[in-house]
Amino acid sequence: MADPVPLPRPGAGPITSQFNRRAPDYLAGLNPEQREAVETTEGPLLVLAGAGTGKTRVLTTRIAHILSQRLAWGSQILAVTFTNKAANEMKKRIHELVPSLDGLPWMGTFHSISARILRHHAELVDLKPSFTILDTDDQIRLIKQLLEADNIDEKRWPARQFAGILDAWKNRGWLPKDVPSSESAYFANGRGGKLYADYQARLKALNAADFGDLLLECIRLFRENPEVLAEYHRKFKYMLVDEYQDSNTAQYLWLRLLAQGKPAPEANICVVGDDDQSIYGWRGAEVDNILRFETDFPGARVIKLERNYRSTANILKAASTLIAFNEGRLGKTLHTDTAEGGEMVTVTSVWDSEEEARHVGEEIEQYQRAGESLNSMAILVRASFQMREFEERFITLGLNYRVIGGPRFYERREIRDALAYLRLVAQPADDLAFERIVNVPKRGIGDSTVKVLLETARHQNVPLLAATRMLVETEELKPKQRTTLRELVMQFDAWAARLEAVPHYEVAEQILDESGYTGMWQADKAPDSPGRLENLKELVRSMEEFETLGGFLEHISLVMDRDSGEAEDAVSIMTLHSAKGLEFDTVFLPGWEEGLFPHQRSLDESGRAGLEEERRLAYVGITRGRRRVRLSMAQNRRIHGLWQSAIPSRFLDELPPDVVEVSDTGSSYGGYGYGGGATSRFNKADPFESVYETPGWQRARANQASRRGGGPLTIEGELVARSVDLGGQSSHFALGERVFHLKFGYGEVIQIEGNKLTIDFEKAGTKKVLESFIRKG
DNA sequence: TTGTGTACAACGTAG
DNA sequence: TTGTACACAA
């Protein structure tokens, strides 16, 4: 244990110098439980920490403590999180606490740390250190190719579905050989297992790994190479895991392997978690992992943090009352010392999502005028499609905003194209990248030419770029294509060579210019092409922050934030999932409607468990707010271009009335607002009965009805329309009839298709709407 | 080989 | 409403 110890440099900063005092100041602000969690450095430790109880603070202070007590170098500490957001937050806070670090702790997501480990030992898992990390998009394209090769009908067995199955298998830590035949039977009549094996073989050939592989291959590496594992056992003296309740089986195995350096009762592993914030069941998280911790590590200390320092009493009460509706909790109660309740939690009923965005925008401006910073406000949505409305509104208002997660920068077409060029230069075996760009910009290389390339590649067992190199020396291609491809290959050689001498970001710019890619967008007269060019510039600019092209590519595939202008004052827009671990003075939670939140698919797929997970998500959302929580629900929402009337979320009814203030924006019509019913404050319908109006139930009813031979249907939903489309004969309305619609007003029926009516509205113009929204005029 | 028109599914969440 | 896959014409 007599390791060399980082000595603080004299005068390196106020905090560092405090390390030398007997009762270090960094412990001063902690309550007894927090302090215990920080100071219990030896042996396994489980910290059950409710929302806002200073969990991140404990973790970061603990790291500072380990350093100041000279128990380890920075680089001997491993700190794992689940999201990039959380990892960044932790890095930032460590940096504030310990400005001068000797050796950075290994801080990051499971995936980024795994990637780092794998690059060191790539050969041992049949990869080269330059391997590409495939994202979901690449993954699906690869699966499509495999399905085609196996003559599996993609209509019947969608690639997307198999990607999901693969993911689930990998989350459970299964290699192809581990997949039981009962599971394999799930896809393509039992060919799932074989597909998995083929898929993995393709990945190796491409020198690529998908997200799941990062963990799985790491586990395989450790298992098959005890000496490598031992190396990491020696290296990592202290391990810390954030949000442990979100770990899935693969991550659990990964951690356990790394913790095996010492007998379990002595392992210096500290996990922090909160069963009430477990929101990743859908990607295989096992809450059991946290419950099992004391069994896995006998003699583990357990510390509960229950004192909340974040939110007002009212917010806390709203959150606690809501989460109490869940069964199967470990049971924690949050306390606050604040006597004052603070502002009420508000629920606003609005007409539709557009008005919702307008309303939120107005409030934000109002707070801004009162001197509050935009950085202190956030909009947390259930699903990323909700973001667009807010973005559009904020653009017209000129309100600064930043989107975290959601449709990501790197998912844009121009970025993916540019990255494909860069990937291919860095990694010539990247066939997916090759296929993406051979004909972008248009070079006259169509499907038939690509087919020849693919066949050659397969026969010669070489990557596409290499196959092309061979083919251009033969007569097999038409002269025109041959010349084009020869030039392209030469260009790639030149770029790769240039990388040795010229900084990579300069080469990148040259690649985009010389390939004609930039020119393609300059010539494009579409209104969004200037924006695309701007994005490309941004991409090249961001490369400057990295040492090498490889480093940049890894960052882009793992860390998907567009972290532009962190310093600027801006409202954050993000999903509830990515908001976990963050906090804001003011939090807006839009879209509290049945079907959206709780999300219908969650209920359909996982029933009660799904509902409880949604409720935990609601709990996470509310507890993000320090001073103000503003909920809203839209009475109408457009789904797939059709208007659907919405029912208030049952979660609204589960909030304690005494801390909640209800209002609307005055644009509702009678009968559709809140407050009209016996069982609900928000809707005339019983919240539990309301599930019978959800799409899933409608589908079930429609199927029943169509089996019985149809009949007049009055229920709404487009799926109903599809299954009982009687060619327009079943409508209750006639062409030319005068009708009324709640949103659009009066109009005349000009076309009937099943239960969809096209109506020429007097005020709103021509719209296609569902019959069920129409009254006789 | 490229461009256009039609049909049809998709809007669930992380890395 | 938007994006994508496929069929067919130029």
Side-chain angles (χ1 to χ4, degrees):
Chain A
M1 262 287 143
D3 267 288
V5 158
L7 277 171
R9 290 200 305 268
I15 295 179
T16 323
S17 58
Q18 281 158 10
F19 280 0
N20 295 325
R21 297 194 200 140
R22 209 147 46 92
D25 278 6
Y26 60 86
L27 292 177
L30 302 179
N31 68 32
E33 301 85 53
Q34 290 176 326
R35 183 155 176 172
E36 193 188 351
V38 166
E39 292 186 313
T40 310
T41 55
E42 307 307 299
L45 172 68
L46 167 63
V47 181
L48 292 172
T53 53
K55 183 169 56 77
T56 311
R57 175 145 187 222
V58 164
L59 277 177
T60 48
T61 312
R62 190 180 158 89
I63 293 176
H65 185 68
I66 290 170
L67 293 171
S68 81
Q69 296 303 114
R70 307 176 180 188
L71 298 170
W73 294 102
S75 60
Q76 291 172 320
I77 298 171
L78 173 67
V80 198
T81 62
F82 283 82
T83 59
N84 287 313
K85 216 71 245 110
N88 290 340
E89 183 72 17
M90 200 190 292
K91 280 182 197 161
K92 204 177 88 193
R93 294 220 211 163
I94 285 284
H95 191 75
E96 283 165 11
L97 216 50
V98 191
S100 63
L101 263 178
D102 287 280
L104 275 176
W106 282 43
M107 274 187 280
T109 61
F110 277 98
H111 292 88
S112 65
I113 291 171
S114 298
R116 187 166 167 188
I117 293 173
L118 279 184
R119 298 239 185 246
H120 278 284
H121 311 279
E123 334 71 46
L124 294 175
V125 290
D126 318 306
L127 290 169
K128 281 180 261 164
S130 61
F131 68 85
T132 308
I133 298 168
L134 298 189
D135 59 34
T136 319
D137 218 68
D138 296 321
Q139 207 184 358
I140 286 172
R141 279 189 298 146
L142 183 53
I143 293 170
K144 276 188 183 160
Q145 292 178 3
L146 290 172
L147 292 178
E148 204 175 338
D150 268 9
N151 273 322
I152 295 170
D153 180 15
E154 220 247 296
K155 283 263 156 54
R156 179 138 164 57
W157 305 104
R160 182 168 277 288
Q161 190 193 341
F162 188 64
I165 293 174
L166 257 188
D167 213 42
W169 289 348
K170 292 188 172 186
N171 282 338
R172 275 179 244 178
W174 290 346
L175 295 169
K177 65 173 168 57
D178 305 319
V179 177
S181 52
S182 58
E183 283 277 335
S184 176
Y186 256 121
F187 194 80
N189 306 320
R191 279 180 285 181
K194 179 193 172 290
L195 275 172
Y196 183 9
D198 291 351
Y199 172 85
Q200 290 306 115
R202 276 300 283 151
L203 286 185
K204 297 297 179 210
L206 291 170
N207 187 26
D210 64 20
F211 288 131
D213 280 353
L214 294 178
L215 283 162
L216 217 47
E217 293 287 23
C218 227
I219 293 171
R220 189 161 76 88
L221 170 78
F222 291 153
R223 282 190 175 150
E224 291 175 2
N225 304 278
E227 72 290 352
V228 174
L229 181 58
E231 186 186 315
Y232 286 97
H233 285 160
R234 281 192 299 275
K235 177 173 177 55
F236 295 131
K237 293 204 168 357
Y238 292 91
M239 293 169 60
L240 298 88
V241 188
D242 196 8
E243 312 281 11
Y244 190 59
Q245 77 283 351
D246 287 333
S247 61
N248 60 34
T249 305
Q251 287 157 336
Y252 170 78
L253 293 171
W254 189 97
L255 278 172
R256 226 181 42 179
L257 281 165
L258 277 172
Q260 271 168 4
K262 288 182 173 186
E266 290 162 39
N268 293 330
I269 179 169
C270 165
V271 306
V272 182
D274 177 3
D275 57 312
D276 286 335
Q277 294 188 66
S278 157
I279 54 175
Y280 285 101
W282 53 273
R283 51 161 229 203
E286 301 274 351
V287 193
D288 282 357
N289 287 348
I290 199 166
L291 306 177
R292 210 168 49 195
F293 186 78
E294 290 175 79
T295 325
D296 286 335
F297 297 95
R301 293 277 289 280
V302 180
I303 298 172
K304 278 190 183 184
L305 304 181
E306 295 180 307
R307 213 172 307 179
N308 179 293
Y309 294 95
R310 180 187 296 154
S311 311
T312 65
N314 283 349
I315 292 174
L316 224 49
K317 179 164 185 191
S320 312
T321 312
L322 175 87
I323 198 66
F325 279 83
N326 271 3
E327 293 166 4
R329 305 172 55 215
L330 284 182
K332 259 182 292 74
T333 358
L334 292 179
H335 319 288
T336 176
D337 294 339
T338 330
E340 218 173 300
E343 283 188 36
M344 296 284 263
V345 171
T346 65
V347 177
T348 309
S349 176
V350 296
W351 179 244
D352 59 10
S353 54
E354 195 187 325
E355 189 182 22
E356 191 173 46
R358 203 177 325 131
H359 184 252
V360 168
E362 275 164 21
E363 264 193 84
I364 291 175
E365 288 190 315
Q366 184 190 323
Y367 298 141
Q368 198 185 15
R369 277 194 296 274
E372 297 184 30
S373 83
L374 295 178
N375 281 333
S376 70
M377 303 179 224
I379 297 158
L380 311 182
V381 297
R382 169 69 247 260
S384 45
F385 72 86
Q386 293 172 263
M387 294 179 177
R388 212 177 76 181
E389 201 95 50
F390 289 98
E391 287 198 63
E392 280 170 12
R393 184 67 198 153
F394 294 171
I395 288 169
T396 48
L397 287 177
L399 203 62
N400 246 347
Y401 69 90
R402 114 183 96 230
V403 173
I404 293 158
R408 304 166 219 274
F409 181 66
Y410 94 112
E411 276 169 6
R412 290 157 197 259
R413 191 170 127 205
E414 65 277 14
I415 300 302
R416 298 191 60 96
D417 288 341
L419 287 175
Y421 272 101
L422 300 175
R423 268 164 58 176
L424 199 50
V425 173
Q427 222 268 96
D430 197 331
D431 286 0
L432 291 167
F434 182 92
E435 279 183 69
R436 185 175 181 100
I437 53 86
V438 239
N439 203 28
V440 179
K442 298 249 180 306
R443 298 188 173 91
I445 309 296
D447 288 348
S448 49
T449 312
V450 172
K451 202 170 243 167
V452 177
L453 299 179
L454 279 168
E455 263 164 36
T456 314
R458 170 136 7 130
H459 284 139
Q460 305 288 327
N461 203 18
V462 293
L464 279 171
L465 187 62
T468 310
R469 197 186 302 278
M470 293 155 84
L471 268 175
V472 294
E473 302 303 326
T474 69
E475 302 288 313
E476 280 166 69
L477 294 169
K478 292 192 208 112
K480 197 172 147 212
Q481 276 77 357
R482 196 192 316 153
T483 322
T484 314
L485 285 173
R486 184 184 296 133
E487 270 168 32
L488 189 66
V489 171
M490 280 162 53
Q491 279 187 308
F492 270 102
D493 288 341
W495 294 327
R498 213 174 299 167
L499 218 44
E500 306 288 323
V502 186
H504 59 285
Y505 47 91
E506 281 179 31
V507 180
E509 197 167 357
Q510 292 163 9
I511 292 174
L512 294 179
D513 285 340
E514 291 168 22
S515 64
Y517 192 74
T518 327
M520 179 182 104
W521 288 116
Q522 280 162 349
D524 194 317
K525 282 183 290 295
D528 54 355
S529 13
R532 293 182 194 272
L533 286 165
E534 197 47 51
N535 287 338
L536 289 172
K537 259 189 216 153
E538 170 82 33
L539 182 78
V540 173
R541 210 176 307 138
S542 68
M543 291 179 73
E544 293 176 29
E545 293 164 30
F546 296 85
E547 295 278 313
T548 62
L549 181 58
F552 168 75
L553 289 174
E554 173 139 337
H555 173 87
I556 205 84
S557 49
L558 284 174
V559 185
M560 309 165 169
D561 298 343
R562 55 180 147 169
D563 37 359
S564 56
E566 181 73 15
E568 258 189 293
D569 196 32
V571 186
S572 297
I573 306 177
M574 67 185 98
T575 64
L576 285 162
H577 281 90
S578 47
K580 191 162 64 154
L582 306 178
E583 57 181 74
F584 301 90
D585 283 341
T586 305
V587 162
F588 295 92
L589 300 166
W592 282 45
E593 299 131 37
E594 282 295 307
L596 178 59
F597 194 31
H599 201 282
Q600 193 56 44
R601 283 183 63 175
S602 200
L603 302 183
D604 287 349
E605 281 164 27
S606 319
R608 167 123 215 144
L611 173 63
E612 296 212 343
E613 181 153 310
E614 295 285 308
R615 193 178 280 116
R616 289 193 291 270
L617 201 49
Y619 174 79
V620 167
I622 294 173
T623 53
R624 295 312 94 194
R626 278 193 287 251
R627 292 172 42 211
R628 253 194 309 252
V629 170
R630 323 233 115 203
L631 306 154
S632 55
M633 57 139 309
Q635 292 151 36
N636 298 284
R637 201 168 280 276
R638 202 163 38 179
I639 298 167
H640 305 322
L642 286 167
W643 286 97
Q644 304 261 236
S645 64
I647 291 157
S649 170
R650 68 192 77 187
F651 296 152
L652 292 173
D653 284 304
E654 296 171 357
L655 298 171
D658 55 318
V659 300
V660 173
E661 195 175 272
V662 180
S663 69
D664 74 3
T665 50
S667 57
S668 1
Y669 286 70
Y672 270 82
Y674 50 84
T679 53
S680 165
R681 309 198 302 288
F682 301 96
N683 193 55
K684 57 187 173 181
D686 179 288
F688 287 97
E689 231 161 66
S690 69
V691 298
Y692 297 107
E693 297 307 318
T694 58
W697 277 96
Q698 289 172 10
R699 195 177 336 163
R701 259 159 55 180
N703 288 341
Q704 261 184 351
S706 60
R707 265 200 298 281
R708 282 197 228 102
L713 285 166
T714 50
I715 46 179
E716 61 200 44
E718 67 175 315
L719 290 153
V720 177
R722 200 164 294 145
S723 47
V724 293
D725 193 345
L726 302 176
Q729 297 312 302
S730 65
S731 178
H732 296 104
F733 297 92
L735 285 174
E737 189 171 0
R738 184 177 155 82
V739 293
F740 176 74
H741 183 276
L742 277 176
K743 184 177 170 68
F744 301 122
Y746 288 96
E748 186 186 325
V749 180
I750 56 173
Q751 201 192 341
I752 303 174
E753 309 162 59
N755 65 346
K756 275 176 263 182
L757 307 179
T758 307
I759 295 166
D760 187 16
F761 289 103
E762 290 167 10
K763 296 241 168 61
T766 305
K767 309 256 182 212
K768 195 189 262 190
V769 294
L770 281 178
E771 189 187 272
S772 51
F773 288 107
I774 300 300
R775 312 270 153 82
K776 308 251 178 197

Short mmCIF file of all heavy atoms in Angstrom, two decimals, chain A residues 144-152 458:
data_model
loop_
_atom_site.label_atom_id
_atom_site.label_comp_id
_atom_site.label_asym_id
_atom_site.label_seq_id
_atom_site.Cartn_x
_atom_site.Cartn_y
_atom_site.Cartn_z
N LYS A 144 -29.62 -5.17 -42.44
CA LYS A 144 -30.37 -5.26 -43.71
C LYS A 144 -29.61 -6.08 -44.73
O LYS A 144 -30.19 -6.90 -45.43
CB LYS A 144 -30.64 -3.86 -44.25
CG LYS A 144 -31.86 -3.23 -43.64
CD LYS A 144 -32.21 -1.94 -44.32
CE LYS A 144 -33.40 -1.33 -43.59
NZ LYS A 144 -33.54 0.09 -43.84
N GLN A 145 -28.31 -5.84 -44.81
CA GLN A 145 -27.51 -6.59 -45.75
C GLN A 145 -27.54 -8.08 -45.43
O GLN A 145 -27.63 -8.92 -46.32
CB GLN A 145 -26.06 -6.09 -45.73
CG GLN A 145 -25.93 -4.68 -46.29
CD GLN A 145 -24.50 -4.17 -46.21
OE1 GLN A 145 -23.59 -4.89 -45.78
NE2 GLN A 145 -24.31 -2.93 -46.63
N LEU A 146 -27.46 -8.39 -44.16
CA LEU A 146 -27.47 -9.80 -43.74
C LEU A 146 -28.81 -10.44 -44.06
O LEU A 146 -28.87 -11.59 -44.51
CB LEU A 146 -27.17 -9.92 -42.25
CG LEU A 146 -25.75 -9.59 -41.84
CD1 LEU A 146 -25.62 -9.56 -40.32
CD2 LEU A 146 -24.78 -10.61 -42.42
N LEU A 147 -29.88 -9.71 -43.83
CA LEU A 147 -31.21 -10.25 -44.11
C LEU A 147 -31.35 -10.54 -45.60
O LEU A 147 -31.86 -11.58 -46.00
CB LEU A 147 -32.30 -9.25 -43.68
CG LEU A 147 -32.44 -9.03 -42.18
CD1 LEU A 147 -33.51 -7.99 -41.89
CD2 LEU A 147 -32.78 -10.33 -41.46
N GLU A 148 -30.84 -9.63 -46.39
CA GLU A 148 -30.92 -9.81 -47.83
C GLU A 148 -30.13 -11.04 -48.25
O GLU A 148 -30.59 -11.86 -49.03
CB GLU A 148 -30.37 -8.56 -48.51
CG GLU A 148 -30.90 -8.37 -49.91
CD GLU A 148 -30.42 -7.04 -50.50
OE1 GLU A 148 -30.08 -6.15 -49.71
OE2 GLU A 148 -30.40 -6.93 -51.74
N ALA A 149 -28.93 -11.16 -47.67
CA ALA A 149 -28.09 -12.30 -48.01
C ALA A 149 -28.76 -13.63 -47.65
O ALA A 149 -28.57 -14.64 -48.32
CB ALA A 149 -26.75 -12.18 -47.30
N ASP A 150 -29.55 -13.60 -46.61
CA ASP A 150 -30.21 -14.83 -46.16
C ASP A 150 -31.62 -14.98 -46.71
O ASP A 150 -32.37 -15.86 -46.30
CB ASP A 150 -30.27 -14.86 -44.63
CG ASP A 150 -29.07 -15.57 -44.03
OD1 ASP A 150 -28.14 -15.88 -44.81
OD2 ASP A 150 -29.07 -15.84 -42.82
N ASN A 151 -31.97 -14.08 -47.63
CA ASN A 151 -33.31 -14.13 -48.21
C ASN A 151 -34.42 -14.07 -47.18
O ASN A 151 -35.40 -14.79 -47.25
CB ASN A 151 -33.49 -15.41 -49.05
CG ASN A 151 -33.01 -15.18 -50.46
OD1 ASN A 151 -33.22 -14.09 -51.01
ND2 ASN A 151 -32.37 -16.17 -51.03
N ILE A 152 -34.24 -13.21 -46.20
CA ILE A 152 -35.29 -13.03 -45.21
C ILE A 152 -36.06 -11.78 -45.58
O ILE A 152 -35.47 -10.74 -45.84
CB ILE A 152 -34.68 -12.91 -43.80
CG1 ILE A 152 -34.00 -14.23 -43.43
CG2 ILE A 152 -35.75 -12.56 -42.77
CD1 ILE A 152 -33.16 -14.15 -42.18
N ARG A 458 -16.32 -9.86 -51.72
CA ARG A 458 -16.66 -11.11 -51.07
C ARG A 458 -15.74 -12.24 -51.54
O ARG A 458 -15.21 -12.99 -50.74
CB ARG A 458 -18.12 -11.46 -51.38
CG ARG A 458 -18.46 -12.87 -50.94
CD ARG A 458 -19.78 -13.03 -50.24
NE ARG A 458 -20.62 -11.86 -50.20
CZ ARG A 458 -21.91 -11.90 -50.55
NH1 ARG A 458 -22.43 -13.01 -51.02
NH2 ARG A 458 -22.66 -10.83 -50.44
#
